[in-house]
Amino acid sequence: MSNEKRMLLAIALIMGVTYVWSKLFFPQAPVKTPAVAQEKIQELTSTSSSEPEQTSETAPSIVRQTLAPAFEEKVVEFETSYVDATLSSRAAALTHVGLKEYKTTIEKDAPGITVVPFSQGSNLPLNWNVTIGETTFSDQMLNYQLTEKTADRTTFRAQATPGVFVEKTWYVSTTKPYVFDVEFRILNQSLVDHPLKVSHTTYSKKDEQTKKPGIFSMFSAASRKLPTRIMAYVNEKEYHWSYKDIAEDDDTLLKGSISWLGLDSQYFVFAVLPTMGNWSSIQTQNKDEQSMIEAFYPERVLDSGKEQKFSLQVYAGPKDIELLQEMGSDLDHSIDYGIWGPIARPILSLLRWIHGYIPNYGWAIIILTLMVRGLMFPLVQKQARSTKKMQQHSPAMNALKEKYADDKEAYTRELMTYMRTHKINPMGGCLLLLPQMPIFFALYRVLYNAIELRHAPFALWITDLSSHDPYFVLPVLVGVTFFLQTKLNPMPAGDPAQQTMMKVMPVMFSVFMVFLPSGLNLYIFVSTVWGIVQQYIVQRKPV
């Protein structure tokens, strides 16, 4: 192979590594990211009357007229140690949830994160859809009146149809942070029994979703911000859908044991959990430039003089794994670790345990890195020795290749004999790398998604471990240490293509790291330094 072909091969390999890296480690970039939208759960809105068994053509028509005299909108504001929130008599809805302990930036006077920034238009969250007899409506069409207000309870009431009333009561949890309870009651005070269908819908706007990124979009800071996604937990399996996912697979219907649904961003979550009245199915679809998920209750009969009650629990707060576990229903699975969850969760628990003794997440990451590298030391040692052995015997094996250049069968036979004689396993180094890869990917997902690192300082100029290094010192150090590591394990001297790749890859690796969180850069830097020391020891010892 000529030097030109080798150079082209090296460039192709570098581009291939770049593409694979972007697919593995970088989420798709948002189309439009408002100033605060990178850190908050977005608008959950609109109405729907679709049912799992019906298309839009066959579904009952929604009643559009006003069902009761208009009333002046009443706004109820309240706050706890953790949140400030707002309820409105318009649809008896939760219209605002702000988090006191989580700021939009690291500045002291920065405003708190708004997990529920609902618009002041006609669309509101947790939209209940009700069919009573032949009449189908959204509770946004009802004119609710404020009927009760106490320190921890607010009740609204509206007339749905003649003789049928709807009550919605919101409770502020006094035992769980970021938790609200909502009770939805339908009271039949008429003399007629009515068939009853109930569901509710959660929406996510299209402009908060993603488009397919280019190969170099990874080099922007925005590329690592997760878009708002719809999520659900069905039959002990978590689902996360972007707008694009739902657009490509519209009308996804899931049945079975449904634990929760909602929206999530990188660090925060808005989740709805049924506490009285389980859902029978959920459905995702796109409508009016929005993606939506609708939860359906089993059909029932609303008897005369009786009521039907449905209760939900709402969690609007950070992806704190302890708080999510306290909620139950496997809500901690709203933290998306992908296939690496079984490894990532113990790693996060270990990181939090270390932080309990050393209250600085930067040092906790360093200690965690040393512990993981220490655990993998025997495998890495064997892999390094296998690589060194291959290098030492490379001249002899190349000589066999030249000797039997015209007889491939003889060359293969002699090469295998040589390897058996000297106990060389050509795949030894690669196979020993395989157990390390899941741990690396799991660590990446932990450090990338950990709310614990958001705005957590380390030392000197590193004031936010979840943000990129403002002076790019850590990415440069990662590139330098990676270059030193490759120098300790040089490629065959006669292969200029591989030598070129050795020179280019540290630069590419530094570019990859530029906008990654400082916490992840810190982990890779410490891990690479450990690798240099370990490799240096291997090189000095005979195989």
Side-chain angles (χ1 to χ4, degrees), residues 261-316:
L261 57 78
L263 301 179
D264 82 317
S265 65
Q266 185 169 7
Y267 297 115
F268 302 95
V269 63
F270 180 91
V272 182
L273 300 81
T275 54
M276 178 180 292
N278 292 327
W279 300 318
S280 59
S281 63
I282 60 173
Q283 186 175 26
T284 64
Q285 58 180 280
N286 280 345
K287 182 179 180 181
D288 300 330
E289 296 294 301
Q290 292 183 330
S291 55
M292 57 173 273
I293 185 168
E294 187 168 12
F296 298 88
Y297 292 94
E299 294 184 17
R300 57 193 74 194
V301 175
L302 183 59
D303 296 325
S304 174
K306 301 293 184 179
E307 69 175 47
Q308 291 288 343
K309 185 186 298 184
F310 307 89
S311 297
L312 299 173
Q313 227 173 28
V314 176
Y315 177 89

Side-chain angles (χ1 to χ4, degrees), residues 73-123:
E73 180 180 6
K74 300 292 185 181
V75 175
V76 178
E77 297 180 350
F78 59 92
E79 63 179 294
T80 69
S81 301
Y82 302 94
V83 302
D84 59 83
T86 302
L87 293 169
S88 171
S89 62
R90 185 167 54 90
L94 185 69
T95 56
H96 169 81
V97 177
L99 308 186
K100 294 183 176 182
E101 294 185 348
Y102 296 91
K103 305 296 184 179
T104 54
T105 64
I106 61 175
E107 282 73 22
K108 292 183 178 180
D109 57 348
I113 283 291
T114 304
V115 177
V116 186
F118 299 120
S119 71
Q120 298 304 309
S122 61
N123 297 324

Side-chain angles (χ1 to χ4, degrees), residues 5 46 55 59 111 168 231 262 298 370 382 438 467 528:
K5 290 182 178 180
S46 192
T55 64
K168 192 184 293 185
M231 62 177 190
L370 297 178
K382 289 182 180 179
S467 180
T528 307

Side-chain angles (χ1 to χ4, degrees), residues 335-378:
I335 305 177
D336 184 15
Y337 294 124
I339 62 174
W340 313 112
I343 303 174
R345 296 177 195 282
I347 289 176
L348 177 60
S349 297
L350 179 58
L351 180 65
R352 292 171 63 101
W353 179 80
I354 295 171
H355 184 261
Y357 292 93
I358 303 174
N360 182 302
Y361 271 108
W363 287 108
I365 289 172
I366 292 174
I367 294 173
L368 175 65
T369 306
L370 297 178
M371 293 174 69
V372 171
R373 290 304 302 247
L375 179 65
M376 302 302 297
F377 182 85

Side-chain angles (χ1 to χ4, degrees), residues 218-231:
M218 71 184 76
F219 302 133
S220 67
S223 68
R224 58 184 187 81
K225 295 296 183 183
L226 287 176
T228 301
R229 298 178 299 174
I230 285 177
M231 62 177 190

Side-chain angles (χ1 to χ4, degrees), residues 2 5 19 101 149 162-163 174 237 258 267 291 488 499 523:
S2 66
K5 290 182 178 180
Y19 179 78
E101 294 185 348
K149 172 66 176 72
T174 57
K237 179 181 179 181
I258 305 166
Y267 297 115
S291 55
L488 288 175
Q499 290 181 359
Y523 157 72

Side-chain angles (χ1 to χ4, degrees), residues 285-514:
Q285 58 180 280
N286 280 345
K287 182 179 180 181
D288 300 330
E289 296 294 301
Q290 292 183 330
S291 55
M292 57 173 273
I293 185 168
E294 187 168 12
F296 298 88
Y297 292 94
E299 294 184 17
R300 57 193 74 194
V301 175
L302 183 59
D303 296 325
S304 174
K306 301 293 184 179
E307 69 175 47
Q308 291 288 343
K309 185 186 298 184
F310 307 89
S311 297
L312 299 173
Q313 227 173 28
V314 176
Y315 177 89
K319 287 183 176 179
D320 184 305
I321 194 165
E322 287 189 358
L323 295 178
L324 297 176
Q325 288 173 342
E326 289 176 6
M327 289 292 297
S329 301
D330 294 311
L331 187 56
D332 57 301
H333 284 266
S334 60
I335 305 177
D336 184 15
Y337 294 124
I339 62 174
W340 313 112
I343 303 174
R345 296 177 195 282
I347 289 176
L348 177 60
S349 297
L350 179 58
L351 180 65
R352 292 171 63 101
W353 179 80
I354 295 171
H355 184 261
Y357 292 93
I358 303 174
N360 182 302
Y361 271 108
W363 287 108
I365 289 172
I366 292 174
I367 294 173
L368 175 65
T369 306
L370 297 178
M371 293 174 69
V372 171
R373 290 304 302 247
L375 179 65
M376 302 302 297
F377 182 85
L379 284 177
V380 176
Q381 196 81 341
K382 289 182 180 179
Q383 183 265 336
R385 288 176 179 172
S386 177
T387 302
K388 181 179 179 181
K389 197 169 188 178
M390 285 289 294
Q391 292 173 354
Q392 290 177 343
H393 289 273
S394 181
M397 290 188 288
N398 288 337
L400 289 175
K401 186 176 183 179
E402 294 178 3
K403 181 178 180 180
Y404 298 99
D406 299 327
D407 190 345
K408 293 185 178 180
E409 184 177 345
Y411 166 68
T412 301
R413 184 174 59 253
E414 292 298 323
L415 180 62
M416 296 303 295
T417 301
Y418 183 89
M419 287 184 173
R420 283 195 299 269
T421 302
H422 295 86
K423 298 180 180 180
I424 299 173
N425 182 1
M427 297 298 295
C430 296
L431 291 175
L432 291 169
L433 283 173
L434 292 180
Q436 304 174 52
M437 298 307 290
I439 294 179
F440 173 80
F441 292 143
L443 267 169
Y444 176 89
R445 296 303 288 262
V446 167
L447 298 180
Y448 185 84
N449 290 286
I451 183 68
E452 290 81 1
L453 301 187
R454 186 179 182 274
H455 296 175
F458 172 41
L460 301 175
W461 69 96
I462 305 298
T463 57
D464 183 0
L465 287 166
S466 70
S467 180
H468 67 272
D469 185 334
Y471 302 109
F472 308 110
V473 175
L474 281 175
V476 172
L477 290 176
V478 167
V480 171
T481 53
F482 187 69
F483 176 77
L484 293 176
Q485 191 174 40
T486 58
K487 294 295 287 183
L488 288 175
N489 189 22
M491 293 294 179
D495 193 335
Q498 291 183 349
Q499 290 181 359
T500 301
M501 184 179 295
M502 285 177 54
K503 296 176 182 178
V504 172
M505 285 305 294
V507 178
M508 295 296 296
F509 207 65
S510 290
V511 175
F512 292 152
M513 300 296 108
V514 165

